[in-house]
Structure formats: structure tokens, C-alpha cells
Amino acid sequence: AIAMRMKDDGWAGVASDGLEFWELNIDFTNSNNSTLSIVQDLAVAPFSSNLCSFTDWSCIQQPNGAIPLDPLLEVLMNRVQYRNFGTHESIVCCHAVDVDGNDRAGIRWYELRRNGGDWSVYQQGTYSPDFKGRWMGTIAMDEQGNIALGYNISSLNMFPSIKYTGRFADSPLGQMTWPETTIVLGTGVHNSNRYGDYNQMVWDPSSNSFWMTAMYN
């Protein structure tokens, strides 16, 4: 089994921003023989996940002086999606970043590919088209290579809500070209910093469409 994590060079002991691939081998007969080891350390474009410090967990702004929300800055978000296209394998994944150094949350997303050998970054981008905070990203790819990216959005003048964007397989690399679209506009604040664990975007071949689950207020 393969597991992944993102890593930030702002963390202690981390030299460079990247994505790590870990391989888990389980011996069900003798658990002492089980191993978890890193098999690839993939460099990505520089980013900072330091949203209101690495330990605050209260950063996404809400209206009416409500408590800021946890940006979940330390993990790849649900879920890392894998596809095998025959000609190549693909993974799409995403996580929260500080877009401008001023604690404005945006979504860093990736499409990784391999055709034998190691994984490489096919494309990557950071989605943050305005001043609002976007976080709790969830990403999926369909059987033609089109990508949908959903997320929560909140600011001093917007209650926590759900929106999405996306791109077609032949869109310019690194860009979400589908106009940002509202799924649900929130109408109230959330009274705890802990928010929405977790969203999920999936592709449904039976209906030829993406489906997303998420929380709003």
C-alpha cells in the first residue's frame, strides 16, 4: 500500500517543499516484519502552509467577529485520487497554502503522472482568485482527464459556503479554467474553529458527473 503526505520547508527538519510517497508492507503472520518506508520524495513549486502560525489552527475569517476556522494546513486533503489510463497513471491531490504571506488561504493542487518509474509533477497550481479564504479542498479527475476542485470559502463578509472550479483535460496546464461556481451560500457563522472534517469530490461513471459532499453554515 502507498501513502502520501505533503511537507513544508517551514517545518522543523524539512529542507524543501514536496510530496512524499511511503510504502507500507504488512506481514500479517509476524507484525514485527512489517515496514513503512519512504520510496519517493517529489519536489514541487515552493509554497507556505503557515496560516496564522503552524500551531494556531484558527485562521479562516468569518463575519460578525466569529472565531476564525481551522485551515487544516498540515495534510493532503480528502482524497488523493488515483487513475490508470493505460498510457500513464495519474494522481490528483490538494492542500491549503498561505497565498500571499498575509494568512489568505488558497488551494494548492497537483496532477502527478508516471509511466513506469517514479512519479513526476505533470501540472500544479494555486487557486485563489480574490481576497476570500478557500480551504478544505477536494479534487477528482474523470475518465477523460477533466478535473473538478471543490472547497469551502469564507471571509469577513461571506459566511462559510461551498464553491467549486475545474478544468478540462485540454485547458492550459496549471490553470483552473472553469468559472468559480457557487453550490451553497452559507447564512450563518460556525461557533467552533474546528470545521467540516472532510469534504469529498468523486466521479460517478453511471451518471457521467462529479458529486461533492461538504459542510456549510
Side-chain angles (χ1 to χ4, degrees):
I2 296 292
M4 287 181 63
R5 76 157 185 159
M6 48 80 74
K7 61 171 190 171
D8 186 335
D9 64 3
W11 300 348
V14 174
S16 60
D17 299 328
L19 299 172
E20 289 182 346
F21 292 78
W22 292 73
E23 185 172 80
L24 176 63
N25 292 298
I26 303 175
D27 186 332
F28 290 100
T29 302
N30 183 352
S31 60
N32 290 328
N33 292 331
S34 298
T35 59
L36 177 64
S37 55
I38 186 169
V39 293
Q40 187 177 351
D41 186 348
L42 178 61
V44 301
F47 65 83
S48 172
S49 61
N50 187 348
L51 289 158
C52 301
S53 91
F54 289 120
T55 58
D56 187 23
W57 302 316
S58 187
C59 195
I60 308 294
Q61 295 178 322
Q62 299 190 80
N64 302 337
I67 185 172
L69 304 173
D70 185 348
L72 289 169
L73 55 86
E74 68 274 27
V75 291
L76 289 174
M77 299 305 298
N78 185 54
R79 65 188 169 93
V80 176
Q81 187 210 32
Y82 167 87
R83 275 190 174 276
N84 191 329
F85 288 92
T87 56
H88 66 275
E89 300 168 274
S90 284
I91 286 174
V92 289
C93 56
C94 66
H95 59 88
V97 295
D98 182 354
V99 173
D100 57 6
N102 294 308
D103 299 322
R104 177 163 62 94
I107 309 293
R108 169 62 68 87
W109 61 273
Y110 310 91
E111 180 187 353
L112 314 178
R113 289 190 178 186
R114 74 174 178 181
N115 185 6
D118 288 339
W119 290 95
S120 62
V121 177
Y122 177 69
Q123 60 175 326
Q124 59 191 310
T126 300
Y127 189 75
S128 179
D130 61 25
F131 66 90
K132 299 180 179 67
R134 292 166 176 81
W135 87 114
M136 204 76 69
T138 178
I139 191 168
M141 175 183 285
D142 70 10
E143 56 202 8
Q144 297 182 18
N146 307 309
I147 295 174
L149 174 65
Y151 45 88
N152 285 110
I153 181 171
S154 185
S155 71
L156 291 176
N157 59 13
M158 175 180 279
F159 296 113
S161 303
I162 309 170
K163 296 199 176 194
Y164 75 94
T165 183
R167 54 171 283 113
F168 295 104
D170 59 358
S171 296
L173 292 179
Q175 298 181 33
M176 289 290 167
T177 53
W178 189 267
E180 183 172 63
T181 303
T182 299
I183 297 176
V184 177
L185 284 178
T187 58
V189 301
H190 190 64
N191 292 319
S192 165
N193 72 306
R194 201 73 177 117
Y195 193 85
D197 299 339
Y198 290 86
N199 300 337
Q200 178 163 289
M201 180 77 73
V202 297
W203 170 251
D204 176 18
S206 65
S207 63
N208 203 38
S209 57
F210 290 101
W211 290 79
M212 179 184 174
T213 58
M215 172 179 166
Y216 68 97
N217 283 73

Coordinates of all heavy atoms in Angstrom, one line a residue, residues 6-66:
M6 N 2.1 15.8 2.2 CA 2.8 17.0 1.8 C 3.8 17.4 2.9 O 3.6 17.0 4.1 CB 1.8 18.1 1.5 CG 0.8 18.4 2.6 SD 1.3 19.4 4.0 CE 1.4 21.0 3.4
K7 N 4.8 18.1 2.5 CA 5.8 18.6 3.5 C 6.2 20.0 3.2 O 6.4 20.4 2.0 CB 7.0 17.7 3.6 CG 7.8 17.6 2.4 CD 9.1 16.8 2.6 CE 10.0 17.0 1.3 NZ 11.4 16.4 1.6
D8 N 6.4 20.9 4.2 CA 6.6 22.3 4.1 C 8.0 22.6 4.6 O 8.4 22.1 5.8 CB 5.6 23.1 4.8 CG 5.7 24.6 4.7 OD1 6.7 25.1 4.3 OD2 4.6 25.2 4.8
D9 N 8.8 23.3 3.9 CA 10.2 23.6 4.4 C 10.2 24.6 5.6 O 11.2 24.8 6.2 CB 11.1 24.1 3.3 CG 10.6 25.5 2.7 OD1 9.6 26.0 3.2 OD2 11.3 25.9 1.7
G10 N 9.0 25.0 6.0 CA 8.9 25.8 7.2 C 8.8 24.9 8.4 O 8.9 25.4 9.6
W11 N 8.6 23.6 8.2 CA 8.6 22.7 9.4 C 10.0 22.3 9.8 O 10.9 22.3 9.0 CB 7.9 21.4 9.0 CG 6.5 21.5 8.5 CD1 5.7 22.6 8.6 CD2 5.7 20.5 7.9 NE1 4.4 22.3 8.1 CE2 4.4 21.1 7.6 CE3 5.9 19.2 7.5 CZ2 3.4 20.4 7.0 CZ3 4.9 18.5 6.8 CH2 3.7 19.1 6.6
A12 N 10.2 22.0 11.1 CA 11.5 21.6 11.6 C 11.9 20.4 10.9 O 11.2 19.4 10.8 CB 11.4 21.4 13.1
G13 N 13.2 20.4 10.5 CA 13.8 19.2 9.9 C 13.4 19.0 8.4 O 13.9 17.9 7.9
V14 N 12.7 19.9 7.8 CA 12.3 19.7 6.4 C 13.1 20.7 5.5 O 13.0 21.9 5.7 CB 10.8 19.9 6.2 CG1 10.4 19.9 4.7 CG2 10.0 18.9 6.9
A15 N 13.8 20.2 4.5 CA 14.7 21.0 3.8 C 14.0 21.7 2.6 O 14.5 22.8 2.2 CB 15.9 20.2 3.3
S16 N 13.0 21.1 2.0 CA 12.4 21.6 0.8 C 10.9 21.2 0.7 O 10.5 20.1 1.2 CB 13.1 21.2 -0.4 OG 13.1 19.8 -0.6
D17 N 10.1 22.0 0.1 CA 8.7 21.7 -0.1 C 8.5 20.5 -1.0 O 9.3 20.4 -2.0 CB 7.9 22.9 -0.7 CG 8.0 24.1 0.2 OD1 8.0 24.0 1.4 OD2 8.0 25.3 -0.4
G18 N 7.6 19.6 -0.7 CA 7.4 18.5 -1.6 C 6.3 17.6 -1.2 O 5.5 17.9 -0.3
L19 N 6.2 16.5 -1.9 CA 5.2 15.4 -1.7 C 6.0 14.1 -1.5 O 6.9 13.8 -2.3 CB 4.3 15.2 -2.9 CG 3.4 16.4 -3.2 CD1 2.7 16.2 -4.5 CD2 2.4 16.8 -2.1
E20 N 5.7 13.4 -0.4 CA 6.4 12.2 -0.1 C 5.5 11.0 -0.4 O 4.3 11.0 -0.1 CB 6.8 12.1 1.3 CG 8.0 13.1 1.7 CD 8.4 13.0 3.1 OE1 7.7 12.4 3.9 OE2 9.5 13.5 3.4
F21 N 6.1 9.9 -0.9 CA 5.4 8.6 -1.1 C 6.0 7.6 -0.1 O 7.2 7.4 -0.1 CB 5.6 8.1 -2.5 CG 4.9 9.0 -3.6 CD1 5.5 10.2 -4.0 CD2 3.7 8.6 -4.2 CE1 4.8 10.9 -5.0 CE2 3.1 9.3 -5.1 CZ 3.6 10.5 -5.5
W22 N 5.1 7.0 0.7 CA 5.5 6.0 1.6 C 4.9 4.6 1.3 O 3.7 4.6 0.8 CB 5.1 6.4 3.0 CG 5.8 7.6 3.6 CD1 5.6 8.9 3.2 CD2 6.8 7.6 4.6 NE1 6.4 9.7 3.9 CE2 7.2 9.0 4.7 CE3 7.4 6.6 5.3 CZ2 8.1 9.3 5.7 CZ3 8.4 7.0 6.2 CH2 8.7 8.3 6.4
E23 N 5.7 3.6 1.4 CA 5.2 2.2 1.1 C 5.0 1.4 2.4 O 5.9 1.3 3.2 CB 6.1 1.5 0.1 CG 5.6 0.1 -0.3 CD 6.5 -0.5 -1.4 OE1 7.5 -1.0 -1.0 OE2 6.1 -0.3 -2.6
L24 N 3.8 0.9 2.6 CA 3.5 0.1 3.7 C 3.4 -1.4 3.3 O 2.6 -1.8 2.4 CB 2.2 0.5 4.4 CG 1.7 -0.3 5.5 CD1 2.6 -0.2 6.7 CD2 0.3 0.1 6.0
N25 N 4.3 -2.2 3.9 CA 4.3 -3.7 3.7 C 3.9 -4.3 5.0 O 4.6 -4.2 6.0 CB 5.6 -4.1 3.2 CG 6.0 -3.6 1.8 OD1 5.3 -3.9 0.8 ND2 7.0 -2.8 1.7
I26 N 2.8 -5.1 5.0 CA 2.3 -5.7 6.2 C 2.5 -7.2 6.2 O 2.1 -7.8 5.2 CB 0.8 -5.3 6.4 CG1 0.6 -3.8 6.4 CG2 0.3 -6.0 7.7 CD1 -0.9 -3.4 6.5
D27 N 3.1 -7.7 7.2 CA 3.2 -9.1 7.4 C 2.2 -9.5 8.5 O 2.4 -9.2 9.6 CB 4.7 -9.5 7.9 CG 4.9 -11.0 7.9 OD1 3.9 -11.7 8.2 OD2 6.1 -11.4 7.8
F28 N 1.1 -10.1 8.0 CA 0.0 -10.4 8.9 C 0.4 -11.7 9.8 O -0.3 -11.9 10.8 CB -1.3 -10.7 8.2 CG -1.8 -9.5 7.5 CD1 -1.6 -9.2 6.2 CD2 -2.6 -8.6 8.3 CE1 -2.2 -8.0 5.6 CE2 -3.1 -7.4 7.7 CZ -2.9 -7.2 6.4
T29 N 1.4 -12.4 9.4 CA 1.8 -13.5 10.2 C 2.7 -13.1 11.4 O 2.6 -13.5 12.5 CB 2.6 -14.6 9.4 OG1 1.7 -15.0 8.3 CG2 3.0 -15.8 10.2
N30 N 3.7 -12.2 11.1 CA 4.6 -11.6 12.1 C 4.6 -10.1 11.9 O 5.3 -9.6 11.0 CB 5.9 -12.3 11.9 CG 6.9 -11.8 13.0 OD1 6.6 -10.9 13.8 ND2 8.1 -12.4 13.1
S31 N 3.9 -9.4 12.7 CA 3.8 -8.0 12.5 C 5.2 -7.3 12.7 O 5.3 -6.1 12.2 CB 2.8 -7.4 13.5 OG 3.2 -7.6 14.9
N32 N 6.1 -7.9 13.4 CA 7.4 -7.3 13.5 C 8.2 -7.2 12.2 O 9.1 -6.4 12.1 CB 8.3 -8.1 14.5 CG 7.8 -8.0 15.9 OD1 7.3 -6.9 16.3 ND2 8.0 -9.0 16.7
N33 N 7.7 -7.9 11.2 CA 8.4 -7.9 9.9 C 7.7 -6.8 9.0 O 8.2 -6.5 7.9 CB 8.2 -9.2 9.2 CG 9.1 -10.3 9.8 OD1 10.1 -10.0 10.4 ND2 8.6 -11.5 9.7
S34 N 6.7 -6.1 9.5 CA 6.0 -5.1 8.7 C 6.9 -3.8 8.6 O 7.6 -3.5 9.6 CB 4.7 -4.7 9.3 OG 3.8 -5.8 9.3
T35 N 6.8 -3.1 7.5 CA 7.7 -2.0 7.3 C 6.9 -0.8 6.7 O 5.9 -1.0 6.0 CB 8.9 -2.3 6.4 OG1 8.3 -2.7 5.1 CG2 9.8 -3.4 6.9
L36 N 7.3 0.4 7.1 CA 6.8 1.6 6.5 C 8.0 2.5 6.1 O 8.8 2.9 6.9 CB 5.9 2.4 7.4 CG 5.4 3.7 7.0 CD1 4.4 3.6 5.8 CD2 4.6 4.5 8.1
S37 N 8.2 2.7 4.8 CA 9.4 3.3 4.3 C 9.1 4.3 3.2 O 8.2 4.1 2.4 CB 10.4 2.3 3.9 OG 9.9 1.5 2.9
I38 N 9.9 5.4 3.1 CA 9.7 6.4 2.1 C 10.3 5.8 0.8 O 11.4 5.3 0.8 CB 10.3 7.7 2.5 CG1 10.0 8.8 1.4 CG2 11.8 7.7 2.7 CD1 10.3 10.2 1.9
V39 N 9.5 6.0 -0.3 CA 10.0 5.4 -1.6 C 10.3 6.5 -2.6 O 10.9 6.3 -3.6 CB 9.1 4.4 -2.2 CG1 9.0 3.1 -1.3 CG2 7.7 5.0 -2.3
Q40 N 9.7 7.7 -2.4 CA 10.0 8.9 -3.3 C 9.7 10.2 -2.6 O 8.7 10.3 -1.8 CB 9.1 8.8 -4.6 CG 9.5 9.8 -5.6 CD 8.7 9.7 -6.9 OE1 8.0 8.8 -7.1 NE2 8.9 10.8 -7.7
D41 N 10.6 11.1 -2.8 CA 10.4 12.5 -2.3 C 10.4 13.4 -3.5 O 11.4 13.7 -4.2 CB 11.6 12.8 -1.4 CG 11.5 14.2 -0.7 OD1 10.6 14.9 -1.1 OD2 12.3 14.5 0.2
L42 N 9.2 13.9 -3.8 CA 8.9 14.6 -5.1 C 8.9 16.1 -4.8 O 8.1 16.6 -4.1 CB 7.6 14.2 -5.7 CG 7.1 14.9 -7.0 CD1 8.1 14.6 -8.1 CD2 5.8 14.3 -7.3
A43 N 9.8 16.9 -5.5 CA 9.9 18.3 -5.3 C 8.7 19.0 -6.0 O 8.3 18.5 -7.1 CB 11.2 18.8 -5.9
V44 N 8.2 20.0 -5.5 CA 7.1 20.8 -6.1 C 7.4 22.3 -6.0 O 8.4 22.7 -5.4 CB 5.7 20.5 -5.3 CG1 5.4 19.0 -5.4 CG2 5.8 21.0 -3.9
A45 N 6.6 23.1 -6.7 CA 6.8 24.5 -6.6 C 6.7 25.0 -5.2 O 5.9 24.5 -4.4 CB 5.7 25.2 -7.4
P46 N 7.5 26.0 -4.8 CA 7.6 26.4 -3.4 C 6.2 26.9 -2.9 O 5.4 27.5 -3.7 CB 8.6 27.6 -3.4 CG 9.4 27.3 -4.6 CD 8.6 26.7 -5.6
F47 N 5.9 26.6 -1.6 CA 4.7 27.1 -1.0 C 4.9 27.3 0.5 O 5.9 26.8 1.0 CB 3.5 26.1 -1.2 CG 3.7 24.8 -0.6 CD1 3.4 24.6 0.8 CD2 4.2 23.7 -1.3 CE1 3.6 23.4 1.4 CE2 4.4 22.5 -0.7 CZ 4.1 22.3 0.7
S48 N 4.0 28.0 1.1 CA 4.0 28.1 2.6 C 2.6 27.7 3.1 O 1.6 28.2 2.6 CB 4.3 29.5 3.0 OG 4.1 29.7 4.4
S49 N 2.6 26.8 4.0 CA 1.3 26.4 4.6 C 1.1 27.1 6.0 O 0.2 26.8 6.7 CB 1.2 24.9 4.8 OG 2.3 24.5 5.7
N50 N 2.0 28.1 6.3 CA 1.9 28.8 7.6 C 0.8 29.8 7.6 O 0.9 31.0 7.3 CB 3.3 29.5 7.8 CG 3.3 30.1 9.2 OD1 2.4 30.2 9.9 ND2 4.5 30.5 9.6
L51 N -0.4 29.3 7.9 CA -1.6 30.1 8.0 C -1.9 30.4 9.5 O -2.3 29.6 10.3 CB -2.8 29.4 7.4 CG -2.8 29.3 5.9 CD1 -3.6 28.1 5.4 CD2 -3.2 30.6 5.3
C52 N -1.5 31.7 9.9 CA -1.7 32.1 11.3 C -0.9 31.3 12.3 O -1.3 31.0 13.4 CB -3.2 32.1 11.7 SG -4.2 33.2 10.7
S53 N 0.3 30.9 11.8 CA 1.3 30.0 12.5 C 0.9 28.6 12.3 O -0.2 28.2 12.0 CB 1.4 30.4 14.0 OG 0.5 29.6 14.8
F54 N 1.9 27.7 12.5 CA 1.7 26.3 12.3 C 1.0 25.6 13.4 O 0.6 24.4 13.3 CB 3.1 25.6 12.2 CG 3.8 25.9 10.9 CD1 5.0 26.5 10.9 CD2 3.2 25.6 9.6 CE1 5.7 26.8 9.7 CE2 3.9 25.9 8.4 CZ 5.1 26.5 8.5
T55 N 0.7 26.3 14.5 CA 0.1 25.7 15.7 C -1.2 26.4 16.2 O -1.7 26.0 17.2 CB 1.1 25.6 16.9 OG1 1.5 27.0 17.2 CG2 2.3 24.8 16.5
D56 N -1.6 27.4 15.5 CA -2.8 28.2 15.9 C -4.1 27.5 15.6 O -5.0 27.4 16.4 CB -2.8 29.6 15.3 CG -3.8 30.5 15.9 OD1 -4.3 30.2 17.0 OD2 -4.2 31.4 15.2
W57 N -4.2 26.9 14.4 CA -5.4 26.2 14.0 C -6.7 27.1 14.0 O -7.8 26.5 14.3 CB -5.6 24.9 14.7 CG -4.4 24.0 14.6 CD1 -3.7 23.7 13.5 CD2 -3.7 23.3 15.7 NE1 -2.7 22.9 13.8 CE2 -2.7 22.6 15.1 CE3 -4.0 23.2 17.0 CZ2 -1.8 21.8 15.8 CZ3 -3.1 22.4 17.8 CH2 -2.0 21.7 17.2
S58 N -6.6 28.4 13.8 CA -7.7 29.3 13.8 C -7.4 30.4 13.0 O -6.7 31.4 13.4 CB -8.0 29.7 15.3 OG -9.2 30.4 15.3
C59 N -7.8 30.4 11.7 CA -7.3 31.4 10.7 C -8.3 31.9 9.7 O -8.2 33.0 9.3 CB -6.0 30.8 10.0 SG -5.0 32.0 9.1
I60 N -9.2 31.0 9.2 CA -10.1 31.4 8.1 C -11.1 32.3 8.7 O -11.9 32.0 9.6 CB -10.8 30.2 7.5 CG1 -9.7 29.1 7.1 CG2 -11.7 30.6 6.3 CD1 -8.8 29.6 6.0
Q61 N -11.2 33.5 8.2 CA -12.1 34.6 8.8 C -13.6 34.3 8.5 O -13.9 33.7 7.5 CB -11.7 35.9 8.3 CG -10.3 36.4 8.7 CD -9.9 37.7 8.2 OE1 -10.2 38.1 7.0 NE2 -9.2 38.5 9.0
Q62 N -14.4 34.7 9.4 CA -15.9 34.7 9.3 C -16.4 36.1 9.6 O -15.8 36.9 10.2 CB -16.5 33.7 10.3 CG -16.1 32.3 10.2 CD -16.9 31.4 11.1 OE1 -18.0 31.0 10.8 NE2 -16.4 31.1 12.3
P63 N -17.7 36.3 9.2 CA -18.3 37.6 9.5 C -18.6 37.8 11.0 O -18.6 36.8 11.8 CB -19.6 37.6 8.7 CG -19.4 36.6 7.6 CD -18.5 35.5 8.3
N64 N -19.0 38.9 11.4 CA -19.6 39.3 12.7 C -18.7 39.0 13.9 O -19.1 38.7 15.0 CB -20.9 38.5 12.9 CG -21.9 38.8 11.8 OD1 -21.8 39.9 11.2 ND2 -22.9 37.9 11.6
G65 N -17.3 39.0 13.6 CA -16.4 38.8 14.7 C -16.4 37.4 15.2 O -15.8 37.1 16.3
A66 N -16.9 36.4 14.4 CA -16.9 35.0 14.8 C -15.5 34.4 14.8 O -14.6 34.9 14.2 CB -17.8 34.2 13.9

